[in-house]
Amino acid sequence: MSASTIENSEYCDYRSPLAIRYASKEMRYNFSDQYKFSTWRKLWIYLAKAEMMLGLVITPEQIAEMEAHVNDIDFKAVAEEEKATRHDVMAHVHIFGKQCPKAAPIIHLGATSCYVGDNTDLIIIRQGFNILLPKLANVLSRLAKFAMEHRDLPTLGFTHLQPAQLTTVGKRATLWLHDLLMDERNLCRARDDLKFRGVKGTTGTQASFLQLFNGDDKKVKQLDQLVTKMAGFDRHYLVTGQTYSRKVDVECLNALSSLGSTVHKICSDIRLLANMKEVEEPFESTQIGSSAMPYKRNPMRSERCCSIARHLMTLVNNALQTAANQWMERTLDDSANRRITLSEAFLSADVLLMTLQNITEGMIVYPKVIASHIAQELPFMTAENIIMAIVKAGGDRQVCHEKIRVLSQEAGAQVKQHGKNNDLVDRIKKDPYFAPILNQLDNLLDPRTFVGRAPQQVIEFLEEEVNPVLENYEGILGGKVELNI
């Protein structure tokens, strides 16, 4: 391959890994130039239609000409025009006007750049949430089924990452579900709180439109309402500067960054459990875990989620800084930043949900490994139950407590100093003091008796909190989680 051929190759340009490696086709399109700039053209059409309806001299022929060229954007010509004008919106106005010579005089009439820029951003953000929410619902559905399936499988609980009172595999999954439900609510709220910037003019006063309509305040108000409705919004912001408030972006990115923290926590748990060989994410038959160690089954999906989630969680700080630094009615130092931050936030969230969906639909549980870990720790946790049994059989609590304390220390030394199994139960069986309760030991050591109401909590949580949310997505999920036992 010649040097010139290499220079012209697409592989010689930087391409975001979020776009080429990770994110979905629909989310990539949502942030594509084609979607963005065809939306600009639609907004110019909405504006012209509304102005015509309210009496300005605009003809149906001009509207039809614009509608005929919504999608055929000459990006090369726009780039050349922008290079000359140093203004992206005017570059598109000029090229659109060349394609629509009859409509050219009325394109962008009375508007400022933020009419197309900000309104398009709001459309894209709303659509971004619409893409994410069904994917989040899929994760909720699959994780709920996992929780139900393993609701009564005992496992060690961990506090301070040290073995603690038993829980169940399904109950732990409900902790993940709980946070994801909060994220679903936050994403819905951020989406549903979005309004349209509308038709506000250069500093938000609508002065240019008031002039166009010869001071007719009522028509200017109608213009705002008509364009808002054409763009598919029910409401518009009643007051703006040149831009809509950048705190709107903060609220949207807060919801996305919070989702990132949830996914990071879930996948960190899975990575820790994979280390213990209790739980494993899906692993294809041809998948390679390590280039040097063929036996490895690395939790690479969970690691990817943690990696991208860390990036997502930082992006809200950009939005906060941008909102804080908007001077008066606006400054342009928000523009370049938002081009990067908004798209990367939604693309990152998209990657996280797709990957987590893949993990949750094929997660593997190893009950025998879990049981062996329980066997190492449960004897220590049964002390109180054994003491109570001895007391009921006529023994002395303090004597029994001391007996178990000594035997526990001896068994602990076997585990920690010699790497042997926990033999506390064998030591208890050999001690004549415990003879009166030997026939009860198996029941006293049954892990299922140490999980409290965990299985019932799983069912109650799925029924009362998860299924009502899943019902909102019944069309794409095929129904709620079946709780019949």
Side-chain angles (χ1 to χ4, degrees):
M1 183 180 288
S2 67
S4 60
T5 304
I6 293 174
E7 288 173 3
N8 292 327
S9 170
E10 61 177 314
Y11 299 103
C12 292
D13 289 331
Y14 172 77
R15 298 182 295 168
S16 168
L18 286 171
I20 65 168
R21 187 177 179 91
Y22 299 126
S24 67
K25 183 177 181 180
E26 63 265 29
M27 190 63 82
R28 296 198 309 270
Y29 178 73
N30 191 47
F31 285 92
S32 69
D33 284 349
Q34 179 63 43
Y35 185 63
K36 175 180 178 178
F37 296 122
S38 63
T39 302
W40 282 15
R41 293 188 172 191
K42 289 176 184 177
L43 287 166
W44 282 319
I45 293 169
Y46 301 153
L47 180 62
K49 279 185 175 180
E51 290 173 336
M52 180 180 68
M53 291 167 65
L54 293 170
L56 294 190
V57 183
I58 296 172
T59 67
E61 188 179 15
Q62 289 173 308
I63 301 293
E65 186 181 51
M66 294 166 70
E67 289 177 333
H69 294 283
V70 169
N71 294 312
D72 56 335
I73 302 167
D74 188 339
F75 287 102
K76 184 177 180 180
V78 169
E80 291 173 355
E81 187 73 20
E82 185 175 350
K83 189 175 180 180
T85 62
R86 307 295 295 175
H87 198 290
D88 57 347
V89 174
M90 289 311 299
H92 278 272
V93 169
H94 291 164
I95 297 304
F96 196 23
K98 288 180 180 178
Q99 290 177 291
C100 307
K102 294 176 183 177
I106 55 91
I107 294 174
H108 199 66
L109 184 58
T112 188
S113 298
C114 287
Y115 166 69
V116 288
D118 270 28
N119 283 322
T120 294
D121 285 345
L122 290 163
I123 291 169
I124 288 172
I125 289 170
R126 185 178 62 172
Q127 180 61 13
F129 284 127
N130 287 336
I131 292 170
L132 292 177
L133 281 163
K135 294 180 180 181
L136 178 51
N138 265 311
V139 173
L140 287 169
S141 176
R142 285 163 180 170
L143 198 52
K145 291 173 183 174
F146 177 88
M148 187 62 186
E149 180 182 354
H150 301 289
R151 66 189 180 279
D152 53 5
L153 177 60
T155 188
L156 286 174
F158 285 87
T159 59
H160 311 275
L161 201 54
Q162 302 300 312
Q165 191 176 72
L166 268 58
T167 182
T168 69
V169 172
K171 171 62 190 300
R172 178 176 286 138
T174 63
L175 303 182
W176 302 339
L177 278 163
H178 177 274
D179 290 356
L180 288 170
L181 284 178
M182 293 181 68
D183 293 314
E184 192 273 343
R185 185 167 64 249
N186 289 339
L187 294 185
C188 283
R189 183 167 52 218
R191 178 197 62 187
D192 295 343
D193 281 350
L194 287 173
K195 300 178 185 178
F196 198 56
R197 176 192 174 273
V199 184
K200 297 296 193 297
T202 55
T203 58
T205 65
Q206 298 178 303
S208 57
F209 297 104
L210 199 60
Q211 184 176 1
L212 276 174
F213 288 102
N214 299 315
D216 191 330
D217 182 83
K218 185 177 179 181
K219 284 190 174 181
V220 174
K221 187 174 180 179
Q222 286 180 298
L223 179 70
D224 218 351
Q225 294 168 340
L226 284 169
V227 174
T228 296
K229 187 175 181 180
M230 289 178 189
F233 283 78
D234 295 325
R235 302 168 298 164
H236 56 77
Y237 297 108
L238 293 179
V239 293
T240 71
Q242 189 172 88
T243 68
Y244 67 79
S245 171
R246 295 311 184 215
K247 279 188 71 69
V248 174
D249 294 344
V250 171
E251 290 191 350
C252 293
L253 266 70
N254 262 331
L256 296 174
S257 293
S258 184
L259 171 66
S261 71
T262 299
V263 176
H264 195 292
K265 188 266 190 286
I266 293 170
C267 290
S268 294
D269 284 355
I270 292 172
R271 291 167 67 190
L272 291 168
L273 292 168
N275 170 263
M276 297 160 59
K277 295 180 173 58
E278 291 190 358
V279 170
E280 195 170 73
E281 65 180 38
F283 197 92
E284 280 83 18
S285 60
T286 58
Q287 184 175 331
I288 296 174
S290 167
S291 61
M293 295 168 278
Y295 59 87
K296 293 191 76 179
R297 293 168 69 98
N298 299 331
M300 49 81 66
R301 293 172 179 82
S302 298
E303 290 172 315
R304 180 194 304 160
C305 282
C306 288
S307 179
I308 293 176
R310 283 201 296 271
H311 175 62
L312 175 55
M313 286 186 284
T314 67
L315 294 177
V316 69
N317 291 322
N318 259 333
L320 287 165
Q321 291 290 342
T322 297
N325 283 287
Q326 286 301 288
W327 301 349
M328 310 303 180
E329 278 62 52
R330 80 88 46 106
T331 82
L332 196 60
D333 61 354
D334 65 333
S335 179
N337 186 291
R338 293 176 70 254
R339 289 175 193 267
I340 299 168
T341 303
L342 291 175
S343 58
E344 290 202 352
F346 277 93
L347 289 167
S348 296
D350 187 60
V351 175
L352 293 181
L353 290 176
M354 287 196 303
T355 309
L356 189 57
Q357 178 178 320
N358 177 262
I359 293 170
T360 53
E361 71 183 358
M363 198 149 53
I364 305 164
V365 176
Y366 294 105
K368 291 184 179 179
V369 176
I370 293 172
S372 70
H373 290 158
I374 291 174
Q376 285 291 316
E377 303 293 340
L378 188 60
F380 296 136
M381 299 178 191
T382 61
E384 189 65 22
N385 285 4
I386 292 173
I387 291 172
M388 292 301 101
I390 283 289
V391 170
K392 288 178 181 179
D396 184 299
R397 183 200 181 280
Q398 309 310 326
V399 174
C400 184
H401 183 281
E402 180 60 18
K403 285 273 188 183
I404 291 179
R405 186 190 69 81
V406 172
L407 294 178
S408 295
Q409 295 294 329
E410 293 172 354
Q414 292 293 309
V415 174
K416 295 178 181 178
Q417 296 176 18
H418 305 292
K420 296 182 179 180
N421 290 333
N422 187 335
D423 62 355
L424 177 58
V425 175
D426 290 335
R427 291 175 185 272
I428 289 173
K429 288 179 177 179
K430 292 175 183 177
D431 192 317
Y433 178 81
F434 296 96
I437 64 164
L438 287 184
N439 63 339
Q440 302 177 44
L441 270 183
D442 287 344
N443 288 334
L444 293 173
L445 292 167
D446 185 347
R448 292 172 296 179
T449 66
F450 290 85
V451 300
R453 295 191 67 252
Q456 292 85 355
Q457 286 181 344
V458 171
I459 294 171
E460 291 164 2
F461 178 70
L462 295 180
E463 182 176 25
E464 296 178 26
E465 298 200 29
V466 178
N467 273 344
V469 172
L470 294 181
E471 286 173 0
N472 296 328
Y473 300 90
E474 203 159 3
I476 63 168
L477 296 178
K480 57 188 179 182
V481 179
E482 185 59 55
L483 298 178
N484 293 332
I485 301 172

